[in-house]
C-alpha cells in the first residue's frame, strides 16, 4: 500500500478513504449523502415512510383497521412502489393492532409484494441469488410468525413462491417451520394452550397450580369482581409448604413478602408474591442452609398493601403467625 511519503515523491496526492456503512434492512436507505441521486432517493423514502405512518394512524387499532390499511395501500398504488417500507412498518405495528397471531394478516402482508418480479434470470441467479431487500423482508415476516407461534401452511408457501420462487431461502424456511412446529407443538407435557382466551383471573389460577403442583388447591382469598372495582387475590400452598407452616417454630424474627416476581406463560407476564421465613432459622427446613423457606404464593393484579394484607390475614387465621412481623421486600419488577 502506498503511503503519504511515497505519494509526495511520486508527485501525486492521496485523498482520504470514506467508509460507507451498509444499509439496514429496516430502512434500506443509501448512506452516501454526498451523492445528489442518493440524497434524492433518501428523501423520497423518508416521505414514503411518513405517508405510510399516516395510513396506520388514521385507522382504528383493530384487525379490520389493519386490513383496511393494506387494502388502501394496494388500491392507491398499483405498481406497489414502496412495498418494502410498507411491510417493515406493518410488522412493527402488529402488536399495536392486536393481529400478531393472525395467519390471514400475514398472508395479506405477503400480498403486498409484487408477484413474479424477483425470479432468477438464469442459472447463475438461481444458484447465487442477488442480495435484495425483498429477501430480507420475507425473512422478517417469517421471523415474526415464528416469534408469535404462527404456523405457516400451504397457502403461505404458495404466496412466497410467487414472489421469490420455490427454490428461495424464504420458502425453504417456511417449509422447515411448518414441519418442525407441527412436530414439536405437543412436546410440552405441561402445555397451557390458548392462553389468550383465558381471563387473567383464570390464567392466574392455572399458573399457581403449575407452581405448587397438581395436588395443591388454589385458594380464592378475594373473588373476581364483575365490575372490576375490587382486585382479586389468589393464593396457593403445596403440601410441603402447608406442613412447614403448621410445624414451623415462629419467633421474633420477621417473615418476608418478596415480590413482585415475574413468570411468563406464552409471553403473558404473571406477577406473584412469595411469603418466606428468615434465612437464619431455615437451616433445618431448607435443603440449602441459609436459604429462606417459602410458605405461600399469591397472585393479584394490584400489589398494594391492602391486597397483600388480605392474603396475610387468611394465613394468620390458619397458622400461628399472628405475632410475627411481616416485612415487604420489593422485587426486580416493582
Amino acid at each position: 500500500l502506498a503511503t503519504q511519503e511515497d505519494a509526495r515523491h511520486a508527485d501525486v496526492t492521496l485523498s482520504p478513504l470514506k467508509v460507507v456503512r451498509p444499509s439496514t434492512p429496516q430502512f434500506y436507505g443509501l448512506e452516501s449523502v454526498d451523492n445528489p441521486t442518493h440524497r434524492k432517493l433518501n428523501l423520497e423514502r423518508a416521505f414514503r415512510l411518513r405517508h405510510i405512518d399516516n395510513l396506520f394512524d388514521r385507522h382504528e387499532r383493530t384487525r379490520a383497521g389493519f386490513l383496511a390499511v393494506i387494502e388502501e395501500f394496494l388500491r392507491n398504488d398499483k405498481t406497489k412502489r414502496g412495498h418494502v417500507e410498507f411491510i417493515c412498518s406493518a410488522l412493527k405495528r402488529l402488536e399495536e393492532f392486536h393481529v400478531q397471531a393472525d395467519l390471514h394478516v400475514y398472508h395479506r402482508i405477503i400480498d403486498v409484494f409484487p408477484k413474479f418480479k424477483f425470479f432468477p434470470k438464469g442459472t447463475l441467479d438461481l444458484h447465487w441469488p442477488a442480495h435484495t431487500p425483498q429477501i430480507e423482508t420475507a425473512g422478517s415476516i417469517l421471523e415474526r410468525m415464528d416469534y408469535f407461534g404462527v404456523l405457516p401452511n400451504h397457502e403461505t408457501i404458495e404466496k412466497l413462491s410467487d414472489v421469490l420462487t420455490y427454490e428461495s431461502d424464504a420458502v425453504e424456511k417456511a417449509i422447515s417451520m411448518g414441519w418442525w412446529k407441527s412436530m414439536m407443538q405437543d412436546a410440552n407435557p405441561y402445555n397451557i394452550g390458548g392462553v389468550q382466551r383465558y381471563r387473567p383471573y383464570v390464567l392466574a389460577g392455572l399458573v399457581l397450580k403449575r407452581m405448587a403442583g397438581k395436588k395443591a388447591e388454589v385458594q380464592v382469598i378475594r373473588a373476581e369482581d364483575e365490575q372490576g372495582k375490587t382486585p382479586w387475590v389468589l393464593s396457593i400452598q403445596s403440601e410441603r409448604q402447608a406442613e412447614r407452616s403448621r410445624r414451623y417454630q415462629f419467633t421474633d424474627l420477621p417473615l418476608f413478602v418478596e415480590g413482585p416476581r415475574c413468570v411468563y406463560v406464552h409471553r403473558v407476564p404473571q406477577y406473584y408474591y412469595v411469603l418466606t421465613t428468615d434465612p437464619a432459622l431455615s437451616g433445618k427446613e431448607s435443603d440449602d442452609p441459609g436459604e429462606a423457606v417459602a410458605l405461600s404464593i399469591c397472585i393479584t393484579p394490584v400489589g398494594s398493601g391492602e391486597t397483600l394484607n388480605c392474603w396475610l390475614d387468611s394465613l394468620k387465621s390458619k397458622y400461628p403467625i399472628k405475632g410475627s412481623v411481616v416485612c415487604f421486600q420489593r422485587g426486580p419488577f416493582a
Side-chain angles (χ1 to χ4, degrees), residues 31 58 88 97 138 153 186 214 243 248-249 266 275 286 332:
E31 297 291 336
R58 289 202 305 263
C88 292
F97 283 79
N153 56 11
D186 298 325
K214 296 181 179 179
E243 181 182 358
Y248 191 82
Q249 299 297 326
H266 289 273
L275 178 65
S286 177

Side-chain angles (χ1 to χ4, degrees), residues 48-66:
R48 200 177 300 126
L49 285 172
R50 188 160 57 248
H51 173 67
I52 292 171
D53 290 337
N54 292 335
L55 282 179
F56 283 101
D57 293 339
R58 289 202 305 263
H59 290 78
E60 297 181 356
R61 300 301 187 262
T62 59
R63 180 180 184 270
F66 193 88

Side-chain angles (χ1 to χ4, degrees), residues 269-284:
Q270 293 291 321
Y271 299 95
Y272 64 96
Y273 299 84
V274 183
L275 178 65
T276 61
T277 61
D278 191 281
L281 298 178
S282 304
K284 298 180 180 180

